[in-house]
Amino acid sequence: MTVDASQGTNAPGADNGMVLEARDVTVRFEGLTAVDSVNETLHRREILGLIGPNGAGKTTLVNAMTGFQRPTAGHVRLGSRVISSLTPHWIRRHGVARTFQAGRLFRDMPVSENIEVAAVSLGMSRKKAHAHAMELLEWIGLADRAALPAGILPYTDERRVGIARALAQKPQFVLLDEPAAGMSDLECDDIMHVVREIPKQFGCGVLLIEHNMRVIMGVCERIHVLDSGKTISRGTPAEVQKDPVVIKAYLGHE
Amino acid sequence: MIEANTPLLRKVRYFWPLIVLCLGLLIIVAIVDSTGDIILAQTLVEGLVRIVIVVAIYMFVGNSGIISFGHIGFVLIGAYATAWQTCCPYTREMFMPGLPTYLLNNSHHFVLAIFLGGVLAAVVALIAGFAIMRLTGIAASIGTFAFMMVFYSAYLRWSTWTSGASSVIGLPTTTTPWVGYAYAVVTITAAFLFTRSKWGLALRSSRDDEVAAKASGVNVFGQRLLAFVISAFFCGMAGGLFGHFLGMLTVDSFYLGMTFITLSMLVVGGMQSLAGAVIGVVVISVVIDVLRRLETGIGGFSIPSSSAEVGVGLILLLILILRSSGITGNAEIYWPFKRDVSSEGALRRQS
Ligand SMILES: Nc1ncnc2c1ncn2[C@@H]1O[C@H](COP(=O)(O)OP(=O)(O)O)[C@@H](O)[C@H]1O
Ligand SMILES: [Mg+2]
């Protein structure tokens, strides 16, 4: 393993007691309440699952926590600082990274430069950024693809590059939006392994959005369930799986 | 086969696209210079000044992906700012009576004057860009166009500083082929280094996907503004060169005609490549020159006037329809020898 977690993150004020918090976060779109007074606290070195039927508001909550969507009410805190009105790049530079459901790689750029973009924007020189990108690609098993244009990668690799890009410069928290969607069981095992390694290698807290219950149950210590923007259940995988409200929400949508 | 194993060879390979462009231009300038043909030399200098303009536009447009219709406004600003410092010391007060006393009584050296012209354009870009760079996509493009309209109209009416609709005559014609070449090389080098810098990389990421760029920590607004200011600086210097090439200035020459020609050159060459910017200028300049000669008539044969503009328009349309990534296909000039995939140079594919 080439990535050393003991160095921690370079973000100012980083410490292991740092938390990323949503406090009564509400997001409304013209009448539709996509996220409805949601509270959650993400700690470093934990893996929190965020599940719920399609349209439950999971992506919107991640948008609100990363500066892409200003909450209509409530706020998001990083440590003692309210970050919900700050810009996405500021939030990324201060240690909260994310991936996208759609991958969103820089398609015209080589795979390595996709990661270098994040590294240079967080303060590295181009040379250091390149070495850092190669380290991350090595870690995630794509070092041999470094020189390929990102646009030609299959989507399984695309997701992994997205994760590597989010991990550039060791963020304190990383929010993964459906990294295993559409993957086979074997590919899911691979993603599960990657997600489990993130807190160990990088020391960061992980919020994992995923539909595949096997992945969620396999890697998460805690789970938060949303339905129609509201929290309907929280707890360990075993508790949530047995919760009749959760079962009903999922059956109701099938 | 040559492999890039020594540090020197690796450097040569890294700078290869730059070296080829500068050597190519050097050969053209040397050949034209040796013929002693004055008409040809005029065409050459005009082409070199256009290279400065188009490469400067490339720095912003090619890396940000935002088409600018307004950069000729910076050329205008630079051209007049230079004239204030160098033009016609004895008649300056007649052409531009509103100038401050210092400018009426003092002249600067051509190189300093051109530099300060670039600085003024950059300062204006910083202020205008503060508003325009917050826009995205087509709104930003229209914003740049509006910017040029404002400055064009203002300079037309601001006759105590610009002589308004009439010309300012008597600039020293110091832009020789070799001076033009020197500025072209400086501009191409700056564009090359900028594109490969961390700022160029960050800006290009926002061209590919603005949302993902922000999520990667890129200050998209800031990077765009930086590129806008740098490219305005070189456009401003090009304005100064242009004035010292013609020996006179009119506000009208920095307007839609020049905007059309320079953007055509960039698009025809390949908007997202430095080589494309240079090659586009060379190709379109040759086409214009040939058509202009035909317009005046060669051996009893002539074509209607304005054929040059029609010709450029047709070439532009053909490129847009058949090969929208331009002659170069948005690629840079590649290292012609064996690729050594394991070394990092191979990863620097220009995107
Ligand atoms: N920008 C937007 N404008 C309007 N409605 C939106 C917007 N983004 C999301 N929504 C709506 O908010 C709800 C939650 O969406 P989303 O957060 O994407 O759900 P999930 O990620 O859980 O599938 C959906 O009904 C969606 O249509
Ligand atoms: Mg979603």
Side-chain angles (χ1 to χ4, degrees):
Chain A
M1 198 58 58
T2 47
V3 183
D4 178 13
S6 64
Q7 290 170 5
T9 168
N10 70 329
D15 67 71
N16 289 331
M18 186 69 118
V19 292
L20 178 64
E21 271 183 289
R23 289 232 188 129
D24 295 318
V25 169
T26 298
V27 179
R28 257 179 234 115
F29 300 111
E30 297 149 25
L32 172 93
T33 306
V35 175
D36 198 348
S37 327
V38 171
N39 284 287
E40 186 53 86
T41 305
L42 182 60
H43 300 266
R44 297 196 65 198
R45 295 173 193 277
E46 74 164 339
I47 304 178
L48 169 68
L50 179 61
I51 64 171
N54 268 328
K58 306 179 295 292
T59 299
T60 307
L61 181 61
V62 166
N63 286 345
M65 293 174 91
T66 49
F68 284 92
Q69 177 70 54
R70 202 180 260 232
T72 320
H75 54 255
V76 178
R77 279 167 183 257
L78 178 62
S80 57
R81 199 155 190 174
V82 176
I83 61 168
S84 28
S85 57
L86 300 173
T87 55
H89 75 261
W90 191 96
I91 293 174
R92 174 66 177 90
R93 288 178 188 186
H94 284 75
V96 182
R98 67 170 296 180
T99 65
F100 295 93
Q101 230 170 313
R104 299 200 87 129
L105 296 189
F106 306 120
R107 304 182 65 81
D108 289 346
M109 290 185 174
V111 167
S112 61
E113 282 190 7
N114 266 265
I115 300 166
E116 287 173 59
V117 166
V120 298
S121 298
L122 297 161
M124 281 190 180
S125 70
R126 279 216 68 173
K127 204 170 169 183
K128 281 221 176 84
H130 181 72
H132 187 56
M134 292 309 294
E135 248 175 46
L136 283 164
L137 285 172
E138 192 88 40
W139 176 72
I140 212 153
L142 289 172
D144 54 331
R145 309 286 156 87
L148 295 180
I152 66 168
L153 290 184
Y155 70 89
T156 48
D157 288 349
E158 206 172 73
R159 301 266 177 72
R160 287 196 291 167
V161 175
I163 294 173
R165 182 173 69 184
L167 290 171
Q169 286 275 58
K170 300 193 183 73
Q172 304 175 70
F173 299 97
V174 58
L175 318 181
L176 306 174
D177 199 346
E178 303 199 18
M183 289 191 181
S184 70
D185 278 357
L186 211 64
E187 291 157 350
C188 281
D189 287 342
D190 192 47
I191 289 289
M192 284 163 74
H193 174 74
V194 166
V195 173
R196 270 198 218 103
E197 285 294 315
I198 293 174
K200 292 180 202 151
Q201 296 301 326
F202 300 86
C204 44
V206 179
L207 181 105
L208 176 66
I209 299 182
E210 194 42 69
H211 276 304
N212 188 322
M213 282 304 149
R214 196 172 66 87
V215 174
I216 287 284
M217 299 301 158
V219 300
C220 298
E221 292 131 42
R222 286 195 301 133
I223 295 174
H224 188 128
V225 191
L226 285 182
D227 186 26
S228 307
K230 289 198 186 65
T231 305
I232 58 166
S233 180
R234 298 169 70 171
T236 63
E239 289 164 3
V240 166
Q241 225 166 359
K242 277 183 283 184
D243 190 335
V245 188
V246 176
I247 295 167
K248 188 161 161 264
Y250 270 88
L251 290 179
H253 282 80
E254 295 302 80
Chain B
M1 289 292 175
I2 300 176
E3 290 202 40
N5 290 331
T6 69
L8 176 67
L9 214 52
R10 216 172 278 152
K11 275 236 155 60
V12 169
R13 185 163 79 172
Y14 181 80
F15 289 104
W16 184 248
L18 178 65
I19 294 167
V20 172
L21 289 175
C22 294
L23 281 183
L25 288 179
L26 180 70
I27 292 167
I28 295 176
V29 175
I31 290 174
V32 171
D33 196 46
S34 68
T35 63
D37 183 335
I38 293 175
I39 310 277
L40 204 57
Q42 295 270 314
T43 307
L44 175 70
V45 176
E46 194 175 11
L48 289 167
V49 174
R50 281 179 176 151
I51 284 180
V52 176
I53 299 175
V54 175
V55 168
I57 296 176
Y58 154 79
M59 275 191 239
F60 175 73
V61 172
N63 288 309
S64 75
I66 298 170
I67 307 251
S68 166
F69 297 110
H71 268 68
I72 298 306
F74 298 123
V75 181
L76 170 73
I77 290 168
Y80 277 88
T82 315
W84 297 334
Q85 304 168 66
T86 61
C87 170
C88 44
Y90 305 109
T91 49
R92 198 179 293 170
E93 194 161 2
M94 197 178 89
F95 287 127
M96 305 175 278
L99 289 181
T101 329
Y102 175 81
L103 283 176
L104 283 177
N105 298 328
N106 294 279
S107 289
H108 288 156
H109 185 270
F110 159 79
V111 174
L112 175 64
I114 283 194
F115 176 79
L116 292 176
V119 169
L120 181 67
V123 170
V124 172
L126 183 66
I127 297 163
F130 223 81
I132 300 171
M133 294 303 117
R134 294 190 183 280
L135 307 172
T136 45
I138 191 75
S141 298
I142 292 173
T144 60
F145 186 65
F147 157 79
M148 182 182 70
M149 291 299 295
V150 167
F151 272 82
Y152 169 76
S153 307
Y155 271 53
L156 264 187
R157 275 162 197 74
W158 193 22
S159 49
T160 55
W161 284 59
T162 64
S163 213
S166 51
S167 314
V168 171
I169 302 164
L171 274 87
T173 48
T174 31
T175 313
T176 62
W178 289 108
V179 168
Y181 176 71
Y183 278 93
V185 166
V186 168
T187 311
I188 292 170
T189 306
F192 179 83
L193 294 176
F194 175 76
T195 302
R196 298 203 171 192
S197 71
K198 57 199 281 186
W199 303 293
L201 179 70
L203 186 60
R204 267 177 289 128
S205 80
S206 78
R207 180 189 77 193
D208 268 18
D209 189 326
E210 192 175 335
V211 169
K214 287 178 176 166
S216 302
V218 176
N219 179 351
V220 175
F221 165 73
Q223 297 299 343
R224 281 183 184 154
L225 187 60
L226 177 70
F228 196 61
V229 168
I230 295 175
S231 76
F233 171 73
F234 285 98
C235 275
M237 294 216 296
L241 290 173
F242 196 74
H244 291 93
F245 154 62
L246 291 178
M248 56 169 283
L249 288 177
T250 47
V251 177
D252 253 334
S253 48
F254 305 97
Y255 194 43
L256 299 178
M258 194 184 266
T259 303
F260 173 69
I261 294 282
T262 48
L263 281 183
S264 301
M265 288 168 164
L266 188 57
V267 172
V268 166
M271 226 182 316
Q272 296 176 1
S273 104
L274 176 57
V278 176
I279 290 168
V281 175
V282 173
V283 169
I284 297 286
S285 292
V286 169
V287 168
I288 290 177
D289 194 56
V290 170
L291 292 176
R292 284 265 150 78
R293 279 165 204 259
L294 286 174
E295 279 173 24
T296 52
I298 294 175
F301 173 77
S302 77
I303 55 176
S305 59
S306 296
S307 293
E309 283 72 18
V310 175
V312 172
L314 287 178
I315 292 174
L316 180 61
L317 280 176
L318 279 177
I319 284 282
L320 286 173
I321 294 164
L322 299 176
R323 190 176 164 88
S324 62
S325 52
I327 293 172
T328 58
N330 285 335
E332 295 299 349
I333 294 161
Y334 53 85
W335 180 246
F337 309 104
K338 191 181 164 207
R339 281 175 81 95
D340 173 10
V341 181
S342 64
S343 98
E344 63 178 289
L347 301 176
R348 301 272 180 252
R349 193 187 74 94
Q350 197 55 63
S351 44

